[in-house]
Amino acid sequence: MIKFGPSGACEEFNAQGFKKTSDGAIWLKNKGVDLFEYSFGRGVNISSEKAIAYGKVFNENDIELSVHAPYFINLATVEEEKAINNIRYIETSLKALKEFGGKRCVFHPGSPLKLDRREAMNILLKSFENIVQIKNDNGYKDLYLCPETMGKLAQLGDLEEIIEIVNVGDENIIPCIDFGHLNARERGLFKSKDDYKRVIDRLIDGIGEKKTMNMHVHFSKIQYTDKGELRHLTFDDDVYGPDYEPLMEVFADYKMTPYVVCESAGTQTRDSLSMKQYYNNYLNK
Ligand SMILES: [Zn+2]
């Protein structure tokens, strides 16, 4: 089933000043949210006890939780200490995800820094193979790891690189396609339905139909420069884009079942529901 929801608490949510997690989850459910992405961007800092309680409340309200692993991950690192930290960041994210009762963990692949881009990718693919092994050996085989397409040209994670990363993993490695990032990378790639279809078709060809149909999606409008992503905007923007409407039509036309997470700056709940409403209206036309 296709699901829609925000990443993190939006401004409206924060303004409510909920005293209990359950009140926040009920508020989100009443809004119509199907999923909520919990960001460990600055580190995994939730106790097991809290994560289990949190997961229970969200599950009771039919909201699935996904997580975003720390931003410090760089699988292309050549430093041993950093490589060890990468594994820890992913493992602790998966542990919390499992306690949440969720299924999907998004992560940023990394950056070449001073390395040649191809050389960096080879290091990354090797360390990712190792991480998939560790994941499977430690009781997280049923959870999905989702490498994300990135918005800055200097970062690893263009569409082709994500296809390569997904393909070193097993059936539980699926892509997180961030269309705002791809749009920023290519300085305005997405204008029409065909522009989105080209990406979906390339994915079907590159990673297979099943992983494409069930992929994870990040969507927001993003301001960019010639180096790529600059900052996340809201759906009120009409300069940078991309527009979500053609993508929702493609999801419906292809009968896809992605999880669509909105990362708008402050209006992510409202904007995720605009996508959901558009998708449902298009489907029922
Ligand atoms: Zn991300």
Side-chain angles (χ1 to χ4, degrees):
M1 193 184 103
I2 190 167
K3 294 190 180 195
F4 294 90
S7 161
C10 64
E11 283 163 4
E12 199 189 342
F13 181 99
N14 286 332
Q16 307 284 329
F18 297 113
K19 297 238 159 33
K20 288 191 297 191
T21 312
S22 52
D23 293 338
I26 290 165
W27 186 83
L28 287 166
K29 185 200 167 96
N30 288 339
K31 286 273 176 189
V33 158
D34 314 302
L35 102 125
F36 184 84
E37 192 152 287
Y38 195 104
S39 179
F40 293 128
R42 289 178 185 84
V44 185
N45 44 18
I46 190 165
S47 67
S48 290
E49 199 185 13
K50 209 170 159 200
I52 291 165
Y54 205 96
K56 189 167 171 274
V57 162
F58 274 77
N59 289 328
E60 280 166 2
N61 287 286
D62 296 318
I63 300 172
E64 182 166 336
L65 290 167
S66 57
V67 304
H68 196 307
Y71 301 140
F72 325 119
I73 289 169
N74 181 8
L75 297 186
T77 188
V78 287
E79 293 175 51
E80 199 182 334
E81 197 189 323
K82 288 194 177 151
I84 291 167
N85 287 339
N86 286 332
I87 295 169
R88 185 165 50 84
Y89 295 140
I90 299 237
E91 267 202 286
T92 50
S93 298
L94 290 171
K95 180 171 176 277
L97 176 63
K98 193 164 187 165
E99 289 163 351
F100 277 159
K103 280 272 180 214
R104 298 177 175 208
C105 173
V106 178
F107 70 96
H108 295 173
S111 295
L113 302 174
K114 291 188 178 99
L115 297 176
D116 161 74
R117 198 167 180 109
R118 186 64 246 174
E119 194 188 341
M121 268 304 285
N122 291 341
I123 294 169
L124 187 152
L125 293 173
K126 242 203 171 103
S127 47
F128 188 56
E129 240 184 283
N130 180 36
I131 282 176
V132 173
Q133 188 68 53
I134 292 172
K135 166 185 177 290
N136 292 346
D137 290 346
N138 287 281
Y140 304 116
K141 192 171 176 21
D142 58 325
L143 303 183
Y144 293 91
L145 268 181
C146 315
E148 178 179 348
T149 56
M150 300 305 298
K152 293 193 178 84
L153 295 170
Q155 295 166 306
L156 296 167
D158 65 18
L159 183 64
E160 291 305 318
E161 287 162 347
I162 292 304
I163 288 172
E164 260 195 271
I165 299 168
V166 166
N167 283 334
V168 300
D170 54 25
E171 70 277 12
N172 290 345
I173 309 303
I174 57 173
C176 171
I177 303 299
D178 188 317
F179 288 95
H181 281 165
L182 290 180
N183 191 64
R185 252 194 127 85
E186 308 283 341
R187 281 144 287 176
L189 178 65
F190 299 105
K191 305 258 186 281
S192 68
K193 251 167 107 165
D194 279 344
D195 299 324
Y196 286 109
K197 278 184 186 168
R198 269 191 287 278
V199 170
I200 305 299
D201 290 338
R202 174 66 195 115
L203 283 165
I204 291 172
D205 191 49
I207 61 171
E209 188 161 338
K210 193 172 170 210
K211 289 186 180 197
T212 306
M213 294 300 143
N214 296 319
M215 69 187 188
H216 205 70
V217 170
H218 279 175
F219 197 98
S220 54
K221 298 194 177 197
I222 293 177
Q223 187 180 351
Y224 51 83
T225 67
D226 56 359
K227 291 190 177 70
E229 173 182 12
L230 189 64
R231 66 187 179 99
H232 285 228
L233 306 167
T234 72
F235 280 7
D236 296 328
D237 158 78
D238 52 15
V239 177
Y240 292 94
D243 290 330
Y244 64 85
E245 293 89 343
L247 179 61
M248 297 306 118
E249 295 186 12
V250 172
F251 285 160
D253 291 351
Y254 279 63
K255 298 188 170 59
M256 293 177 64
T257 51
Y259 284 11
V260 185
V261 174
C262 185
E263 292 188 316
S264 287
T267 56
Q268 57 271 48
T269 307
R270 182 199 78 184
D271 292 351
S272 74
L273 295 168
S274 298
M275 287 192 278
K276 181 174 178 176
Q277 193 171 34
Y278 187 91
Y279 172 86
N280 283 331
N281 288 344
Y282 178 76
L283 209 62
N284 296 325
K285 247 207 292 232

